[in-house]
Structure formats: structure tokens, C-alpha cells
Amino acid sequence: MARQGEAIRNVRLDDEEFFRIRNEEVLPMWKTGQEIADFDECIAAAKELSAGKNYAERQLAARENEVHNLQPQFGHALTEQLLEGVQYVESESPLLPNGVWNFYTDSYTRKCSFDMAQVGLERTKAEGQTMLNGYPIVNHGVEEARKVKRAVRAPITMNSTDEDGRLASEIALASGWNACNCRSLQEVIAHCKYIDLAEEIRINQYESRLAAKYTEAGVPIAPHITSNLTGYDAPGFKALVMTSQTLIGAAQGIKQFYFELGLNMHLVEDCATINVTEKLAREYLDKFGYTDIKFSSGAFPFLGAWPPRIDEAEAMIAWNTVDTFLAGIDTAILKCRDEAFATPTKEGMSNAVRMARHLDTLIGRQHVDTSGEDYRLEEQMIELEVRSILDKCLEVADGDAVVALCKGVEAGWIDAMLTPWVHNHGNVRLMRDAEKAQRYWDMGDLPVPQEVRDYHRMKLESRAKIEGRPLDFSMLVGDLQFASRIAPQV
């Protein structure tokens, strides 16, 4: 296993290297790291706290029983504030029994600025109003996080994205929050600016191995294989991101993945994306000898621009939920109306859960018809795109998935339109077709067959003909706000 700055490969961390990283890099990040120095105690506590409300087990149960989980999101600065909101939602809405929690950390914690998180925490205590946009789990430490776990009835996962979430994940896992991430390519595209992909993969290899060690000790963990990105990405790119990241996580010993798809809000497209992802992930994992891995799925609400008025925002919340269920995705991750102005309130999130559960009741077992020609063609084009790019990357990397991703980004074969990350080429251009599906206007240097290029062009030209205007940059810019524009009154 490579150390920081050394060439990196897709190989498993042995125990010596894992605990070296843990003791030299991770636990010293903040003083609360010493509270979890005894790894065996962390495992034992997590096993006890997770009994009957394990996130990974709840996800598999939803798939096996063909029910939908709801996953509201919450995060406040103080433990008391967090618990007040969570307990309100659990008592005032039909979250249980088919529900899980996503607790998110604050922006300072996500950037490992724990000193600034402490300032926000102290100001919150002094002023009585939350001064952080999430729960600073690292600053609170393991005992406070365990207090949360004991008080909450539904299983918990945690979202602490950005470059380095290792200490946050360590404390969460040691507290029975079955939370961990395996999403290096997702993170650099969505949240990073300067970090090298190889270094981000090195960080995520540790986090993946951490999850695997808990699973091996009897505490199942289902790390998030995420493709939320920025909201302006093609379905094939999202499927590529998720499929490739399974190969990195599996090498570290992960046995269950939770695919978290950022919705494009086009029903057929989203359904085809998650189905192609699971199909190709299974195929490539089997090819590399990882044959005993289980899947579940969730959908994250659209991450592009939202409308600035509550009525239209609630329509978006409802459609994202309907899209999730009809696409056959196991879990709907929820937003609420409050997020137009601030972090979610307990009343707003309870409202979102009630709305989503009623939509679940109305939809029942309806789903997208995957036998139709339009659906099959959509799935075929996504699959061709993913295979072509991933196979090309693996070929030049002699089959090493880590080297493949690094070389793919370097060559511009893996490319996104909108991202803060300086290492991205940014040669692809996307816009919506007449049915509001994401299509490539310019595929840049993506190594895909002409058949895929022609399909995307045909879809866009159909829109141009219907609207009587050319495909140009003004159309692309306008599409960035296609969901946030409010219809004018006549």
C-alpha cells in the first residue's frame, strides 16, 4: 500500500499499514481522536449500539421485502438540538418502520477545520442559536455521538463529504452510526479544488478498509458509492463513477454497497442509470473475483438549481420522490421546504416525510416499464458509454482500477462539465433534450462509439426542431436553470 506521495495501486491495506495510518494520520487530527484509540472497544460498542437498528441491514431488508425506505436529513450544532429535531420527526411522521436517518456534518468539519467548528460550537452554546450548518461530530466526540445513537429509533448514516472524512467516519462507526464512504472520484468532482485524485483515492482506501474491518467483526457497513456530482452530468458519467468506485472499495474488503444516485429528474433516464450501474458493477466485480457483494440503492434529490419559491420547491420535492420510487430505487433521500432559506427544521422535515410516505402509498408497486423500445435504447446507450470508457482506462492501466481512474482523468476520458476541481479537463458540454433528459452536446475526448454520439445528437436535434431554434451555448446556459425558473403569470 502506498504512503502519502507514493504511487498508488488497487491493493488492500494490511493491518500494519492500516493502523499506522490510523495512529499517525487520522486520530491526531483532533483531540477527540484519542477517545477511540482502542479499536476493539470501538467494535464492541458499535455492535451493541447497532443491534436492531443497523443501517446496512435495514437497506437490504427494504430490497428483499420490496418496500421503500425514507431517509430524511438533519444536522444541528448541539446534540440537544439534533435530538429534539430527530425525535420530533420520528414521533410526528410515519418514518418508521421503513426509515433511516442521514445526519450531515457542518462545513468546517467537512474541511477538517475542527478549530473553526469549535468556535461555531462555542458561539452556539453562548448565543442559543445554531451557528453551524451541521453536526460537528469530531468536536463532540464519541460519547456524544453514542448518546445520539441510543436516543434515535431509526438506523443512522452520516454524510461528511469533501477531501478527508476519515476521523468523522471513525467516530461515527465507533458510535454505531453505520456510516462510511467510498467515493473518491465523486468527491473530487463535486467538492474539491486542488487535491490529486491519487491522494483522494488513498484517503478513501483507508475509509473503505475501515468499513470492511467493522463488517468482518460482525457490524455490517454499507458504504455509500455516490454519484451526486453537481446536478449537471450525463447518466453514463454517473454510472461510470459508481461502477468504477466499487472496484476500489471491493479491493479493501467491502461486502455491501449502497449506490446513491443523484437524480437527473428524467424518469426513464434515472431508472436506466441505476439499472446499468448495478448490472455493470456486478459484471466487473465478478470479473475481478469479488463475487460475494450485495447491493442496495438510494436516490439523492436533484443537485442543480432549485426554484426560489416554496410552492414550486415542494413540487420538486414531490417529483424527486416519485421519480425515485417509479425508477425502482430502494431509498428516497429527502429534502424539505426549509432548505430554501436555511438548514431543515423539525417541522419541515416531518412534513417532507409525510408527503413522501403518502406518495409511496399512492404509487404502490408501480414502476417504469423496462420492456419498451425507448427504455431499452436508453439503457443500451448508457451501457455502451460506461463500457467504452472503463475498458479503455483499464486497458492502459493493466487492469488496475486505481491507475485506470487516474489515467482516465489525465487523458480527458473521464470528464465533467461543471466542477471546481482544477484537474478536470472540462471539454464536455450537456443540455436537455425535448423530454428534459440530459444529453451531450459535445462529448469532448470521451472514447465512446459513434453510435453513442449520434444518439445524443439526434435527441438534441429533435428538441431544436420542436422549439425552432439552434443548438447553441445560450440553450446550454438556459438549461442550467431549467428546474429553477418559475412560470410567468399571464
Side-chain angles (χ1 to χ4, degrees), residues 131-156:
M131 303 301 293
L132 296 171
N133 61 346
Y135 186 72
I137 188 171
V138 171
N139 295 72
H140 280 302
V142 71
E143 291 307 321
E144 284 293 289
R146 287 173 179 173
K147 178 181 177 181
V148 171
K149 179 66 175 184
R150 292 187 183 99
V152 176
R153 296 165 62 195
I156 304 170

Side-chain angles (χ1 to χ4, degrees), residues 163 184-185 187-201 237 405-428 445:
E163 288 95 335
S184 52
L185 186 54
E187 286 313 297
V188 294
I189 295 293
H191 299 120
C192 302
K193 188 168 184 179
Y194 297 115
I195 192 170
D196 289 334
L197 178 58
E199 175 60 12
E200 183 63 18
I201 291 174
F237 184 70
L405 291 189
C406 293
K407 286 185 175 292
V409 168
E410 182 181 355
W413 302 335
I414 297 173
D415 199 9
M417 180 172 74
L418 295 179
T419 170
W421 193 46
V422 299
H423 301 289
N424 181 72
H425 284 217
N427 290 330
V428 299
D445 297 316

Side-chain angles (χ1 to χ4, degrees), residues 23 38 49 58 85 163 193 212 228 256 284 306 330 366 394 408 418-419 456:
N23 294 326
D38 186 340
L49 290 164
R58 183 67 56 86
E163 288 95 335
K193 188 168 184 179
N228 296 339
Q256 181 181 337
Y284 280 88
W306 280 56
D330 303 316
Q366 298 180 75
L394 288 168
L418 295 179
T419 170
H456 284 260

Side-chain angles (χ1 to χ4, degrees), residues 212-473:
K213 289 183 78 66
Y214 270 82
T215 298
E216 291 159 6
V219 188
I221 306 297
H224 291 196
I225 296 288
T226 307
S227 190
N228 296 339
L229 303 169
T230 63
Y232 303 102
D233 301 281
F237 184 70
K238 293 184 174 185
L240 171 69
V241 169
M242 290 187 286
T243 301
S244 60
Q245 289 176 152
T246 62
L247 298 176
I248 297 174
Q252 299 304 323
I254 291 174
K255 298 301 181 184
Q256 181 181 337
F257 289 120
Y258 172 72
F259 292 115
E260 185 179 296
L261 171 65
L263 295 173
N264 274 345
M265 296 198 302
H266 183 275
L267 181 56
V268 169
E269 190 175 66
D270 289 331
C271 180
T273 303
I274 198 67
N275 287 341
V276 168
T277 297
E278 293 202 19
K279 174 184 177 180
L280 294 184
R282 180 71 66 195
E283 178 182 321
Y284 280 88
L285 287 169
D286 287 350
K287 177 181 177 180
F288 285 93
Y290 308 117
T291 58
D292 58 347
I293 294 175
K294 298 177 180 179
F295 299 152
S296 62
S297 61
F300 200 93
F302 178 63
L303 276 169
W306 280 56
R309 199 163 60 190
I310 287 177
D311 294 333
E312 286 82 359
E314 287 200 322
M316 288 268 288
I317 293 168
W319 174 242
N320 276 267
T321 304
V322 171
D323 188 1
T324 298
F325 295 155
L326 291 180
I329 297 172
D330 303 316
T331 297
I333 301 170
L334 304 179
K335 283 188 177 292
C336 72
R337 59 191 296 166
D338 306 318
E339 293 181 72
F341 310 104
T343 55
T345 65
K346 60 185 181 182
E347 295 85 2
M349 192 53 77
S350 182
N351 170 270
V353 172
R354 288 195 296 270
M355 178 192 295
R357 186 61 75 199
H358 193 59
L359 289 169
D360 183 25
T361 300
L362 297 176
I363 291 168
R365 294 179 181 267
Q366 298 180 75
H367 55 78
V368 173
D369 180 4
T370 59
S371 64
E373 182 179 349
D374 288 346
Y375 176 86
R376 292 200 307 270
L377 184 58
E378 188 71 36
E379 193 172 88
Q380 179 186 348
M381 291 299 111
I382 295 173
E383 185 174 331
L384 269 174
E385 179 183 340
V386 178
R387 283 188 189 280
S388 300
I389 297 172
L390 188 52
D391 286 349
K392 181 74 170 179
C393 295
L394 288 168
E395 179 186 354
V396 299
D398 296 325
D400 188 294
V402 166
V403 178
L405 291 189
C406 293
K407 286 185 175 292
V409 168
E410 182 181 355
W413 302 335
I414 297 173
D415 199 9
M417 180 172 74
L418 295 179
T419 170
W421 193 46
V422 299
H423 301 289
N424 181 72
H425 284 217
N427 290 330
V428 299
R429 298 288 183 269
L430 295 106
M431 55 179 71
R432 300 266 173 172
D433 68 13
E435 297 178 348
K436 304 302 184 184
Q438 289 271 33
R439 303 296 178 195
Y440 287 108
W441 179 37
D442 187 339
M443 300 192 81
D445 297 316
L446 303 188
V448 298
Q450 189 62 41
E451 181 181 0
V452 177
R453 295 177 181 272
D454 292 343
Y455 177 72
H456 284 260
R457 174 60 63 169
M458 176 268 293
K459 286 289 188 178
L460 289 177
E461 287 178 348
S462 176
R463 173 189 173 183
K465 182 178 180 180
I466 290 171
E467 297 184 3
R469 62 184 180 126
L471 299 172
D472 57 19
F473 194 70

Side-chain angles (χ1 to χ4, degrees), residues 47-80:
K47 187 178 297 186
E48 176 188 352
L49 290 164
S50 297
K53 46 182 181 178
N54 179 282
Y55 183 84
E57 292 174 346
R58 183 67 56 86
Q59 292 291 354
L60 284 185
R63 172 158 295 198
E64 291 167 359
N65 296 323
E66 297 185 31
V67 298
H68 292 127
N69 279 330
L70 300 182
Q71 184 167 312
Q73 305 177 86
F74 224 60
H76 284 294
L78 301 182
T79 299
E80 293 75 17

